[in-house]
Amino acid sequence: MSPSPTRAGVVALRVIRQLKRDRRTIGLIVFAPIVLMVLFGYALSGDMSGVALGLVDGGGHDALRDHIESVKDFNILHLGSESDAEKLIGEGRLDGAVVLLPDGVRVLLDASSLQIAGAIAAAVQAGAVAESAVKQTAAPQQGAESSAKSQIVTRYIFGYDLEMMDTVGPAILGLVVFFFTFINAAIAFIRERSQGTLEKFMVSPLSRVEMISGYVLGFSLFTVLQSATTLFVVTSGFGVPLHGSSLTALLVVLILGAGALVLGCFFSNFARSEFQVVQFIPLIITPQIVLCGIWWPLQSVPEIIRPFSYMLPLTYAAHALRAVMLKGAGIGDILYPDLLALGLFFLIFFALATMMLRRDVD
Amino acid sequence: MHPAISARGVVKSFGRQRVLDGLTVDIPSGVTYCLLGSNGSGKTTFIRTVVRLLHLDGGEMNVLDTPVSEVDGIYSKIGYMTQHKALYPDLTVEENMQFYAGLYGIGGQRREKKIGELLAMVDLSGHRSRLAGALSGGMYQRLSLACTLIHEPELLLLDEPTVGVDPRLRQTFWEYFGRLTEEGKTVLITTHLMDEAEKCQRMGYMRAGRMAAEGSPEEILRLAGLLPRLMLWLAQPDSDAALLRREGYEAEVSGGIVIVRLESHARIKEILALVSPLDMRLAEPRLEEAFLLLSEGA
């Protein structure tokens, strides 16, 4: 029997009807991401402590340099040239930079975070005052000359405000969808088994491929709902930019959600109850949270376990979502490797889940 | 007519335990067939091999003239009701039925007509929009049966369908099964309720993975050595009993009543030609006694 879209549709309609009636799950799907976001948002938007400041020391301003290095809130990164500093600010890795040259001081500031820019500018001013005081004591007759030398030029650069939420936000969108779809799917399949409906499907014209496809279709509707709310909170609530198309972001999330669903179906074979599904969280979800580059770059994951990071779907989803939201990437830009990897993950577990459904009954 | 299910030396083991141990049986088309046996005798396992949820370890089986290995191709002709009921508690009565109708490609007017008819049969017409999970045990059972019948299967496999159903409704079920067999459909039922078994046209008694006894209710009783008894109140019991014995009947006198064992009901007429009783009563043997005898004589 060839797979029929009608029968998959019948399953999808049923899944939607069931989920629609399950108010608690609906609430969880829609509101849990919001709560999570608010939590992460406030925890991660810590503005003032840890301002990343680049410092290019071309000589001639030792007192100013010492003053800046003594500011507690600054994390100083020593750089070789002004263009390096400019680039890093543009990428959002630095909040600003101070370039000290014998003939002047140049301050590069990130225009998108004026509060931090103000703090940096104030520190440089204070340092300059301290420096001229030192110089006047050492050689009073050269006073006028030296103040001309330490003229401060300020330049604004458009990077984006590197609140941690910006990099984490898009990835969390993926995490939330992955987490809820995985858990809900695993529980749904456990129920199919304990209710005896799975056994009944096996003795009906409905094939396993149609059944799982129906689930993917039905769940996708809720994935869209969930991503839309999460996306809304991330962008309007926390000001994370959305430079690319929200449809592209949704596409990434849908493929990720489909992968989470078949993974949930596959793992439901190893659980006997809903309770045991919950026990999968530390095993399936936690490694993804830790290793997929949500909180810190993949480059900081030890090389020995980095290949494992590249086996996790959330790694690709987080990367693709960041590219779409922060850099305005289109489908073409994220096709390889992100969408390809997500698609492959889905197909592999679709096949495994289909095979396992049969083995269970036999 | 070909049998609906024909099994020859069927074997199915779980580990070392042979749950079906060379089972051979023909289940004719167009009858209600009762599969009896104590718990663990292999009834459910047999049904699961028929629908290929379990693969045979040995023997041969044909289902609706199809080798059991190809039974997946004729699933739309089979209705299977498991002991688990297989319903979605979070869908309404009607939605459950619509879902199963959809799986078999039944839609539109035909679907609505069939749902109405079946809900009336299982006496749930007034509960269409109730959640299945809110139904009582018996109602849940009835809905499960209705869902199994939605696609008008040729072969119905019902695993303990009447557990928790009240006697009046059970009667309705049996009448419905009767109508189905008149249309040429086959109904295979497992049960351990003897009074239900008596309503079947044929039955099989399973013991230790084999058919211990198989046939119509009369044949089963005869196999167990149980015959109907005719009790006669006669004016001269002793001499009449002697007369009947001379004619080859098994007759005895007990408390002034002559008791004759009947090989068939047709013999009553012949007996009445020999003697003229003042009163008489027919005592049918009960299947329950037969199965007790059969299971003891293992």
Side-chain angles (χ1 to χ4, degrees):
Chain A
M1 240 175 315
S2 64
S4 133
T6 326
R7 277 194 294 265
V10 169
V11 176
L13 180 68
R14 194 211 77 219
V15 169
I16 292 168
R17 276 178 163 171
Q18 280 183 295
L19 280 172
K20 205 177 65 186
R21 205 158 276 144
D22 186 354
R23 299 235 164 77
R24 193 190 313 241
T25 302
I26 291 285
L28 210 65
I29 285 176
V30 176
F31 293 107
I34 298 179
V35 173
L36 271 181
M37 282 302 182
V38 170
L39 260 176
F40 284 131
Y42 283 114
L44 299 175
S45 63
D47 266 342
M48 287 307 290
S49 62
V51 173
L53 185 68
L55 188 62
V56 182
D57 190 0
H61 298 276
D62 293 352
L64 178 54
R65 184 197 63 210
D66 292 347
H67 176 80
I68 289 171
E69 284 182 338
S70 71
V71 177
K72 223 173 40 205
D73 287 338
F74 290 170
N75 293 332
I76 307 287
L77 187 67
H78 290 274
L79 300 166
S81 71
E82 186 174 342
S83 62
D84 280 354
E86 201 169 324
K87 185 167 164 267
L88 287 171
I89 294 170
E91 286 173 2
R93 289 166 188 261
L94 290 178
D95 296 308
V98 178
V99 183
L100 305 174
L101 297 167
D103 60 341
V105 177
R106 297 163 69 77
V107 182
L108 311 182
L109 294 173
D110 183 348
S112 60
S113 176
L114 295 174
Q115 224 184 334
I116 296 176
I120 296 169
V124 175
Q125 286 295 344
V129 171
E131 186 184 56
S132 56
V134 170
K135 283 188 176 163
Q136 256 159 13
T137 341
Q141 72 277 24
Q142 291 178 344
E145 204 185 333
S146 81
S147 61
K149 264 189 190 170
S150 47
Q151 195 183 6
I152 297 170
V153 178
T154 304
R155 258 180 72 204
Y156 283 99
I157 291 166
F158 264 94
Y160 39 74
D161 179 6
L162 186 69
E163 281 186 13
M164 200 161 171
M165 195 58 191
D166 287 352
T167 43
V168 171
I172 288 198
L173 174 61
L175 174 67
V176 158
V177 166
F178 190 89
F179 182 89
F180 285 102
T181 311
F182 173 79
I183 297 288
N184 284 335
I187 287 177
F189 278 95
I190 291 268
R191 289 203 183 137
E192 294 279 8
R193 212 164 276 131
S194 61
Q195 280 164 182
T197 40
L198 185 69
E199 190 173 341
K200 201 158 162 126
F201 286 159
M202 295 295 173
V203 187
S204 81
L206 182 78
S207 70
R208 290 165 287 155
V209 169
E210 287 163 353
M211 181 185 177
I212 297 181
S213 308
Y215 260 91
V216 171
L217 280 177
F219 265 69
S220 291
L221 187 75
F222 291 88
T223 305
V224 169
L225 183 72
Q226 186 174 39
S227 331
T229 37
T230 314
L231 204 60
F232 180 76
V233 175
V234 173
T235 51
S236 29
F238 292 95
V240 174
L242 177 59
H243 293 308
S245 146
S246 53
L247 288 179
T248 315
L250 228 53
L251 176 74
V252 174
V253 170
L254 274 177
I255 303 177
L256 176 73
L261 182 129
V262 288
L263 189 73
C265 172
F266 174 75
F267 272 97
S268 72
N269 290 294
F270 304 106
R272 287 279 152 260
S273 65
E274 280 104 328
F275 175 63
Q276 289 184 351
V277 168
V278 174
Q279 293 171 338
F280 285 138
I281 295 175
L283 191 73
I284 310 294
I285 308 289
T286 318
Q288 310 232 34
I289 295 177
V290 176
L291 295 177
C292 73
I294 295 187
W295 314 106
W296 41 81
L298 279 180
Q299 287 72 19
S300 68
V301 172
E303 260 180 68
I304 297 178
I305 50 173
R306 207 177 300 162
F308 190 65
S309 288
Y310 286 108
M311 284 159 55
L312 302 174
L314 215 46
T315 303
Y316 299 96
H319 185 256
L321 286 170
R322 270 186 200 140
V324 172
M325 293 180 66
L326 305 181
K327 294 181 191 158
I331 292 184
D333 305 316
I334 53 170
L335 205 54
Y336 180 85
D338 298 330
L339 288 186
L340 192 75
L342 288 174
L344 206 64
F345 181 85
F346 167 71
L347 286 178
I348 289 171
F349 278 92
F350 189 98
L352 286 175
T354 330
M355 267 150 42
M356 288 292 284
L357 272 186
R358 159 128 287 175
R359 218 188 73 178
D360 176 74
V361 173
D362 204 16
Chain B
M1 192 132 94
H2 289 285
I5 302 171
S6 144
R8 295 279 168 274
V10 162
V11 175
K12 178 69 199 175
S13 307
F14 296 111
R16 281 196 188 161
Q17 198 194 354
R18 275 164 92 96
V19 178
L20 297 180
D21 191 11
L23 179 84
T24 294
V25 66
D26 277 330
I27 293 172
S29 298
V31 302
T32 312
Y33 191 105
C34 232
L35 202 55
L36 288 144
S38 53
N39 291 329
S41 56
K43 303 187 296 286
T44 300
T45 304
F46 175 64
I47 289 197
R48 288 167 64 93
T49 57
V50 171
V51 292
R52 211 159 182 260
L53 283 173
L54 294 170
H55 292 215
L56 295 182
D57 295 333
E60 270 178 48
M61 180 148 42
N62 280 291
V63 180
L64 299 174
D65 292 325
T66 309
V68 74
S69 55
E70 291 160 29
V71 89
D72 338 23
I74 55 160
Y75 276 156
S76 57
K77 294 180 180 179
I78 297 176
Y80 172 47
M81 177 173 162
T82 69
Q83 287 183 26
H84 283 111
K85 314 307 166 245
L87 296 173
Y88 294 95
D90 43 359
L91 293 185
T92 65
V93 166
E94 191 171 27
E95 285 168 347
N96 266 292
M97 295 207 67
Q98 288 171 344
F99 171 64
Y100 281 112
L103 285 193
Y104 292 93
I106 301 166
Q109 292 234 304
R110 186 172 157 226
R111 181 179 80 175
E112 293 317 306
K113 185 168 163 277
K114 199 71 207 167
I115 289 178
E117 176 195 320
L118 286 169
L119 285 182
M121 193 274 288
V122 297
D123 199 15
L124 286 175
S125 301
H127 302 276
R128 271 174 180 255
S129 44
R130 246 174 105 177
L131 288 183
L135 299 176
S136 73
M139 290 164 121
Y140 206 68
Q141 182 89 352
R142 276 137 61 189
L143 177 58
S144 176
L145 178 66
C147 288
T148 305
L149 294 168
I150 191 85
H151 60 291
E152 303 176 336
E154 272 178 45
L155 173 63
L156 258 177
L157 306 167
L158 309 174
D159 206 354
E160 311 252 352
T162 53
V163 175
V165 175
D166 68 61
R168 186 184 53 83
L169 205 62
R170 219 185 282 171
Q171 186 61 37
T172 318
F173 280 14
W174 284 97
E175 281 163 16
Y176 193 83
F177 296 155
R179 286 219 299 279
L180 292 177
T181 52
E182 275 165 30
E183 292 167 17
K185 289 165 181 159
T186 309
V187 185
L188 173 63
I189 292 175
T190 72
T191 182
H192 44 243
L193 296 174
M194 297 299 165
D195 58 326
E196 298 216 315
E198 282 168 15
K199 293 177 188 134
C200 290
Q201 281 126 310
R202 284 186 82 80
M203 61 183 65
Y205 182 74
M206 281 185 72
R207 193 178 58 224
R210 287 165 181 264
M211 222 34 114
E214 208 265 335
S216 65
E218 293 81 32
E219 285 168 336
I220 294 272
L221 290 168
R222 207 169 306 140
L223 202 68
L226 292 176
L227 297 174
R229 286 162 301 169
L230 188 64
M231 288 182 262
L232 301 165
W233 279 261
L234 294 158
Q236 289 129 355
D238 292 312
S239 62
D240 281 343
L243 169 70
L244 288 169
R245 275 197 288 271
R246 277 201 299 280
E247 293 294 324
Y249 290 99
E250 240 184 90
E252 56 185 89
V253 185
S254 166
I257 303 163
V258 177
I259 301 168
V260 189
R261 281 160 66 89
L262 296 174
E263 272 163 43
S264 86
H265 291 102
R267 288 295 181 91
I268 296 175
K269 223 172 161 182
E270 298 167 22
I271 291 169
L272 292 182
L274 293 168
V275 294
S276 323
L278 307 168
D279 195 5
M280 59 184 233
R281 190 171 299 161
L282 185 63
E284 293 286 354
R286 286 163 51 223
L287 272 171
E288 211 159 340
E289 297 170 58
F291 288 120
L292 276 173
L293 280 170
L294 288 169
S295 53
E296 279 162 10

